[in-house]
Amino acid sequence: MRSDCPISYALDFFGDKWSLLVIRDLVFEGKSFFKEFQQSKEGIATNILSSRLKKLEASGIIESRVYPQLKTKKEYKLTAKGLDLIPVLVEMIAWSAKYQEGLAVKDNFLSKVANDREAVVAAIRSKLADQ
Amino acid sequence: MRSDCPISYALDFFGDKWSLLVIRDLVFEGKSFFKEFQQSKEGIATNILSSRLKKLEASGIIESRVYPQLKTKKEYKLTAKGLDLIPVLVEMIAWSAKYQEGLAVKDNFLSKVANDREAVVAAIRSKLADQ
DNA sequence: CTGTATCCTTAGGGATACTG
DNA sequence: CAGTATCCCTAAGGATACAG
């Protein structure tokens, strides 16, 4: 950790180029498997993805289990600590929505985010809980 | 830009180890000058600080002007686009507050953040506007 | 399918000297 | 005071082959 500042603390967990994109895939894209993360359009290398999954799991932000039927699959999901990052992501999306041109988010979702962040966060949480 | 995703977009602006700490100093520490940023406890090198200030200004997140009296001083401040990052910072602080041990934020401020984020954001904004 | 292992390249960054 | 300019080094990352 670089300092005891809470911003600095948070950056130690996801202040790199890839961690937050993996979390995004878990929260908004419904992804759970190695290959799914790998196929995201930003194109993460397998070794980098592997190291990020390890780091996020060691940090208590995600957890994994071997997939019930096919033992060759491993499933990742967010812990409570990881789910608590949803508001951060939502605020980042709201900010980008305001300034990014040619935005890649559904307008409907965006206006919800802008107007009622708490409800959006709750909706995403309950959707993830159902899985 | 790595993709048209809003998270990816935001990360292009402040998804590195230093940018958000500079913004933190502007928002919460009342800092405005090169030397003040440099003296933050994380210890940023002058060349890195210089490049970050340039990048943030080019991105429209901060703006600068030569200090009225002493022309040897240059003052930095947040633009509207930069001020709109406050909610992101506040959510990051709220998250860290929940999980960081030995936290370096005043408890009073923390409980406010946890309970009424909007009011906190508004308070910080108006405080910055007074300067 | 889920990763490791390896190789190689580059960008980021620390230290420090120096300039207007 | 507010930066530039270097030098050097390391960690991060990409490509790709391969293993369980």
Side-chain angles (χ1 to χ4, degrees):
Chain A
M1 201 181 317
R2 285 188 291 166
S3 82
D4 57 357
C5 158
I7 299 291
S8 188
Y9 174 84
L11 289 175
D12 284 334
F13 286 96
F14 51 81
D16 65 279
K17 283 170 57 181
W18 292 111
S19 297
L20 218 50
L21 296 181
V22 172
I23 297 170
R24 169 205 63 185
D25 285 347
L26 283 159
V27 174
F28 297 105
E29 306 296 330
K31 297 184 178 179
S32 308
F33 301 102
F34 192 93
K35 194 175 189 181
E36 292 178 317
F37 301 124
Q38 194 191 335
Q39 287 169 341
S40 291
K41 56 193 167 211
E42 286 87 6
I44 187 169
T46 58
N47 56 342
I48 308 295
L49 174 56
S50 180
S51 79
R52 286 306 178 279
L53 289 170
K54 272 191 175 44
K55 188 188 174 193
L56 289 171
E57 190 161 10
S59 307
I61 290 174
I62 64 174
E63 59 191 359
S64 67
R65 59 164 190 171
V66 173
Y67 202 64
Q69 277 73 21
L70 301 85
K71 291 184 180 170
T72 151
K73 298 190 88 171
K74 196 173 178 184
E75 188 178 26
Y76 294 91
K77 59 178 297 194
L78 292 160
T79 61
K81 187 175 180 179
L83 290 168
D84 281 338
L85 283 173
I86 297 175
V88 177
L89 292 173
V90 166
E91 291 300 338
M92 287 177 67
I93 292 171
W95 183 82
S96 295
K98 192 165 177 179
Y99 295 104
Q100 184 181 10
E101 298 164 38
L103 184 66
V105 185
K106 298 88 187 169
D107 282 39
N108 191 28
F109 175 69
L110 266 186
S111 57
K112 275 190 200 164
V113 170
N115 295 327
D116 193 354
R117 291 162 162 82
E118 272 185 51
V120 171
V121 171
I124 296 168
R125 270 184 175 280
S126 78
K127 188 181 165 196
L128 287 173
D130 289 344
Q131 291 170 354
Chain B
M1 200 181 319
R2 284 187 293 166
S3 81
D4 57 356
C5 157
I7 298 290
S8 187
Y9 175 84
L11 289 174
D12 284 334
F13 286 95
F14 51 83
D16 66 279
K17 281 171 56 182
W18 292 110
S19 297
L20 218 49
L21 295 180
V22 172
I23 297 171
R24 170 204 63 184
D25 284 348
L26 284 158
V27 174
F28 298 104
E29 306 296 330
K31 297 185 177 178
S32 308
F33 301 103
F34 192 94
K35 195 175 190 181
E36 292 178 319
F37 301 124
Q38 195 191 334
Q39 287 168 342
S40 292
K41 57 192 164 207
E42 286 86 7
I44 186 169
T46 59
N47 55 344
I48 308 294
L49 174 55
S50 179
S51 79
R52 286 305 177 280
L53 289 169
K54 273 191 173 44
K55 189 188 173 192
L56 288 171
E57 189 160 11
S59 307
I61 290 174
I62 64 175
E63 61 191 358
S64 66
R65 59 164 190 173
V66 172
Y67 202 64
Q69 277 74 21
L70 302 85
K71 291 184 181 170
T72 151
K73 298 190 88 172
K74 196 173 178 184
E75 188 179 25
Y76 293 92
K77 58 179 296 194
L78 292 160
T79 61
K81 188 174 179 179
L83 289 168
D84 281 337
L85 284 174
I86 296 175
V88 177
L89 293 173
V90 166
E91 292 299 340
M92 285 176 67
I93 292 171
W95 183 82
S96 295
K98 192 165 177 179
Y99 295 104
Q100 185 180 9
E101 297 163 40
L103 185 65
V105 185
K106 298 87 186 169
D107 283 38
N108 190 27
F109 175 69
L110 266 187
S111 57
K112 275 190 198 162
V113 168
N115 295 327
D116 193 355
R117 291 160 162 82
E118 272 183 52
V120 171
V121 171
I124 297 167
R125 271 185 175 280
S126 78
K127 187 182 166 196
L128 287 172
D130 289 343
Q131 292 168 354

